[in-house]
């Protein structure tokens, strides 16, 4: 193989499984914020404190989001775990068909690891929305647009960071369940909490926090940007529509 082809193959290898998250990202974000608003309205009929309302609405949105994105996650993890060269890798659609044909739609097939995905998204959104809106309501609004932007961005950054720290054990469990098993043909990791317990017993508590720094670097600022885009877009739509 030509050296340039080798470099291309290795470079594209970093982007294995990129199509499923791209396909899932738009509906995922839409579901996150839409369902958060709907759950918030529903909880308005119950006499709860604002702090509890925001947290529970976030939990509900996360659980709903998880149901939508889990099949995409199964396909993505499977493609990324494929050790063949980029050119030999199956397409997203063909790999999804392969899973459905051999394992079906259930918890061993296209919805494998659903319990861990529910925990990952439910806990993340509960902390993310709960922290953001409660802290934002406690800190006075700044009249200066730039300082107000920085106030919201800072709170959003902390929200994404704290949510990542709290939910990463679920993320690790999800990756173990949906990824290749240690011994081919034997399923070691099945359910969320049992997987967490196994990892803790065999590898120690720190193993449940593997990948925390890259996650924070992605979802800290990313979480802040998402909230700001949502809030400013929502305000603009309310004013102009």
């Amino acid at each position: 193989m030509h050296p340039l082809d080798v470099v291309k193959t290795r470079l594209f290898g970093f982007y294995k499984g990129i199509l499923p998250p791209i396909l899932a990202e738009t509906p995922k974000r839409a579901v996150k914020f839409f369902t958060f608003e709907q759950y918030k309205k529903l909880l308005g009929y119950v006499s709860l404190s604002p702090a509890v309302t925001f947290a529970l609405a976030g939990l509900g949105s996360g659980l709903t989001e998880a149901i939508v994105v889990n099949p995409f996650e199964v396909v993505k993890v499977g493609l990324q775990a494929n050790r063949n060269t980029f050119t030999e890798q199956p397409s997203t659609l063909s790999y999804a068909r392969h899973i459905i044909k051999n394992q079906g739609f259930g918890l061993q097939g296209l919805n494998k690891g659903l319990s861990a995905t529910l925990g990952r998204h439910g806990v993340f959104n509960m902390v993310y929305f709960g922290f953001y809106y409660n802290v934002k309501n406690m800190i006075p609004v700044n009249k200066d647009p730039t300082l107000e932007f920085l106030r919201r961005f800072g709170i959003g950054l902390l929200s994404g960071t704290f949510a990542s720290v709290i939910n990463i054990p679920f993320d690790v469990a999800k990756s173990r369940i949906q990824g290749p098993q240690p011994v081919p043909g034997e399923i070691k990791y099945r359910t969320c909490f049992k997987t967490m317990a196994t990892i803790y017993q065999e590898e120690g508590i720190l193993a449940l926090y593997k990948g925390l720094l890259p996650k924070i670097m992605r979802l800290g600022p990313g979480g802040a940007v998402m909230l700001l885009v949502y809030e400013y877009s929502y305000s603009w739509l309310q004013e102009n529509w």
Side-chain angles (χ1 to χ4, degrees):
M1 185 182 287
H2 191 276
L4 186 59
D5 292 329
V6 174
V7 172
K8 285 181 180 179
T9 300
R10 290 179 178 176
L11 180 63
F12 284 128
F14 286 109
Y15 294 91
K16 280 185 174 183
I18 190 65
L19 187 57
I22 288 175
L23 293 173
E25 203 62 24
T26 300
K28 173 182 173 181
R29 302 308 177 193
V31 168
K32 177 194 288 284
F33 289 101
F34 174 76
T35 55
F36 172 71
E37 292 295 336
Q38 300 312 306
Y39 285 122
K40 194 168 64 172
K41 288 177 184 177
L42 287 172
L43 291 168
Y45 294 105
V46 186
S47 56
L48 297 172
S49 67
V52 175
T53 298
F54 288 129
L56 287 179
L59 175 63
S61 75
L63 296 176
T64 308
E65 181 186 14
I67 294 169
V68 174
V69 304
N70 192 67
F72 294 95
E73 289 290 320
V74 171
V75 175
K76 181 193 76 173
V77 172
L79 289 173
Q80 290 176 340
N82 190 319
R83 294 182 178 274
N84 294 330
T85 62
F86 187 80
T87 53
E88 296 172 350
Q89 187 181 15
S91 69
T92 299
L93 188 58
S94 65
Y95 187 68
R97 286 174 177 167
H98 170 78
I99 294 173
I100 294 168
K101 182 179 178 181
N102 291 280
Q103 284 90 36
F105 288 95
L107 296 179
Q108 292 304 316
L110 208 56
N111 274 296
K112 183 166 62 173
L114 179 60
S115 60
T117 306
L118 287 168
R120 182 178 81 153
H121 289 269
V123 170
F124 183 90
N125 283 8
M126 181 175 68
V127 177
Y128 181 63
F129 285 116
F131 182 90
Y132 179 78
Y133 284 105
N134 282 297
V135 173
K136 194 181 83 162
N137 291 339
M138 286 166 32
I139 301 175
V141 176
N142 203 300
K143 294 181 180 179
D144 184 299
T146 303
L147 293 177
E148 174 60 15
F149 174 85
L150 292 174
R151 178 184 80 99
R152 293 187 184 191
F153 184 85
I155 300 170
L157 179 68
L158 289 174
S159 300
T161 300
F162 289 150
S164 297
V165 172
I166 293 172
N167 94 319
I168 194 168
F170 293 95
D171 209 352
V172 172
K174 171 192 156 302
S175 297
R176 297 290 182 96
I177 295 168
Q178 293 179 344
Q181 299 294 309
V183 179
E186 293 182 16
I187 300 177
K188 180 177 182 179
Y189 304 113
R190 290 181 182 272
T191 60
C192 179
F193 290 106
K194 189 174 180 181
T195 297
M196 286 186 192
T198 301
I199 294 169
Y200 172 73
Q201 291 167 1
E202 295 182 355
E203 303 172 46
I205 188 68
L206 292 180
L208 290 170
Y209 291 86
K210 283 182 178 179
L212 178 59
L213 183 58
K215 186 180 176 77
I216 289 174
M217 291 173 67
R218 177 171 61 93
L219 291 176
V225 170
M226 271 196 304
L227 282 166
L228 288 173
V229 169
Y230 171 72
E231 286 199 331
Y232 283 112
S233 299
Y234 190 76
S235 298
W236 185 87
L237 289 169
Q238 283 187 316
E239 292 173 5
N240 295 276
W241 291 81

